[in-house]
Amino acid sequence: MIYIVTPVFNRKKFTRNYLEALSIQTCKDFKVVIVDDGSTDGTKEMILKNFPEVHYIEGDGNLWWAEGTNVGVKYALEQGATYIMTLNDDTIPESDYMEKMMYWSQNKPDALLGALAIDQKTGDVVYGGEKRNWRTGRGIPIIDSLSPAQQKGLHEVDLFPGRGLLIPAQVFDEIGFYDSKHFPQTIADLDFTYRAKRAGFGIFCNYDAKIAIYPEESGGVAFRKNKSWKNYFQHLFGIRGGGNLKWFVVCALKNCPIKYRFQFIFIGVIRRIFGYWIK
């Protein structure tokens, strides 16, 4: 049984739209776990009234994404989950999303499978997986090397965000949970897939399974969109900062091959410090 785990906080409209999209899936052989980390906007009441089938867990406001996900994953495993899917509430899964994910999980039962992310407004592909070049510090989008005819089925990648990631339960048995100590809000999902790949698990992007996303809702985007010295500081050091220097360095020390570690960290730090004002 697949358990979908989603941490939420004060985004009632997004959460409702997300749960409605899950309710009309062509394949319904899954359960949903919502970890509500202290919402004050009526999220709890909305879920309990309109989606009574959802497994609702209430947090205390201090979980953030990584530990909120861990709480939901541990609950799902206790219920006998064979697969965990991490999926954010600022996504709209297409109606056959779960069907396509389940189909390919039968072909790759021990692999982690991510979904193709589409811009909700434009319909353009936002993310289709990437390869990591540790030497240059860059992620190489695999979609750039695929013809339109090849943009289907599974394509192997080196890492994947937690947005729409299907994970066999055995992965948690072997590598543990998300590192909420070092990465409470961002990077924890990437660190998790780095560890899974080193443990021998394959990671693929499923181009047949699509989720619509709101790119402007991604972590740290507001800090980059509305540039100011205050937001610059939050970008580099804040818990929601997409360019958090401390978390980047810790992740690199944990996962980057030793021979590339210095240059990878140096390049990454420079990009985060100066890239904020350029992009």
Side-chain angles (χ1 to χ4, degrees), residues 17 31 78 84 141 152 169 184 206 223 239 244 262 273:
N17 291 340
K31 298 183 184 297
E78 290 172 357
I84 302 291
K152 60 184 179 180
N206 181 0
F223 298 140
I239 196 167
N244 189 291
F262 174 80
I273 291 175

Coordinates of all heavy atoms in Angstrom, one line a residue, residues 17 31 78 84 141 152 169 184 206 223 239 244 262 273:
N17 N -7.0 22.3 -2.8 CA -6.9 22.0 -4.3 C -6.1 20.7 -4.5 O -6.4 19.9 -5.4 CB -6.2 23.2 -5.0 CG -7.1 24.4 -5.1 OD1 -8.3 24.3 -4.9 ND2 -6.5 25.5 -5.3
K31 N -3.3 5.8 0.4 CA -3.8 6.6 1.5 C -3.0 7.9 1.7 O -1.9 8.0 1.3 CB -3.8 5.8 2.8 CG -4.6 4.5 2.8 CD -4.6 3.8 4.1 CE -5.4 2.4 4.0 NZ -6.8 2.7 3.7
E78 N 4.3 2.5 10.3 CA 3.6 1.7 11.4 C 2.3 1.1 10.9 O 1.9 0.1 11.5 CB 3.4 2.7 12.6 CG 4.6 3.1 13.3 CD 4.3 4.2 14.3 OE1 3.2 4.7 14.4 OE2 5.3 4.6 15.1
I84 N 6.3 4.8 0.3 CA 6.0 6.2 0.8 C 6.1 7.1 -0.4 O 7.1 7.0 -1.1 CB 7.0 6.6 1.9 CG1 6.9 5.6 3.1 CG2 6.7 8.0 2.4 CD1 5.6 5.6 3.9
P141 N 20.3 19.2 -16.4 CA 19.0 18.8 -16.7 C 19.0 17.7 -17.8 O 19.5 18.0 -18.9 CB 18.2 20.0 -17.1 CG 19.0 21.2 -16.6 CD 20.5 20.7 -16.7
K152 N 9.4 10.3 -22.3 CA 8.4 9.4 -21.8 C 9.1 8.2 -21.0 O 10.3 8.0 -21.2 CB 7.5 8.8 -22.9 CG 8.3 8.0 -23.9 CD 7.4 7.5 -25.1 CE 8.2 6.7 -26.1 NZ 7.3 6.3 -27.2
A169 N 9.6 1.3 1.0 CA 9.7 1.3 2.5 C 11.1 0.9 2.9 O 11.7 1.4 3.9 CB 8.7 0.5 3.1
P184 N 16.4 21.4 8.2 CA 15.0 21.4 8.7 C 14.0 21.7 7.6 O 12.9 21.2 7.6 CB 15.0 22.5 9.8 CG 16.2 23.3 9.5 CD 17.2 22.4 9.0
N206 N 10.0 9.8 -13.7 CA 8.9 9.2 -14.5 C 8.3 10.2 -15.3 O 7.5 11.0 -14.9 CB 7.9 8.5 -13.5 CG 6.8 7.8 -14.3 OD1 6.7 7.8 -15.5 ND2 5.9 7.2 -13.5
F223 N 12.3 35.5 -1.6 CA 13.5 36.2 -1.3 C 14.3 36.7 -2.5 O 14.9 37.8 -2.5 CB 14.4 35.4 -0.4 CG 13.8 35.0 0.9 CD1 14.0 33.7 1.5 CD2 13.0 35.9 1.7 CE1 13.5 33.3 2.7 CE2 12.5 35.5 2.9 CZ 12.7 34.2 3.4
I239 N 16.0 30.1 7.6 CA 15.5 28.7 7.5 C 14.8 28.4 6.2 O 14.7 27.2 5.8 CB 14.6 28.4 8.8 CG1 14.5 26.8 8.9 CG2 13.3 29.0 8.7 CD1 14.0 26.4 10.3
N244 N 20.8 28.9 1.5 CA 21.4 28.8 2.9 C 22.8 28.2 2.8 O 23.0 27.1 2.4 CB 20.5 28.0 3.7 CG 20.9 28.0 5.2 OD1 22.0 27.5 5.5 ND2 20.1 28.6 6.0
F262 N 36.5 20.5 -2.3 CA 36.9 21.9 -2.1 C 36.3 22.8 -3.2 O 35.7 23.8 -3.0 CB 38.4 22.0 -2.1 CG 38.9 23.5 -2.0 CD1 38.8 24.2 -0.8 CD2 39.3 24.1 -3.2 CE1 39.2 25.5 -0.8 CE2 39.7 25.4 -3.2 CZ 39.7 26.1 -2.0
I273 N 26.4 33.6 -3.1 CA 26.6 35.0 -2.6 C 26.4 36.0 -3.7 O 25.7 37.0 -3.4 CB 28.1 35.1 -2.1 CG1 28.3 34.3 -0.8 CG2 28.5 36.6 -1.9 CD1 29.7 34.3 -0.3

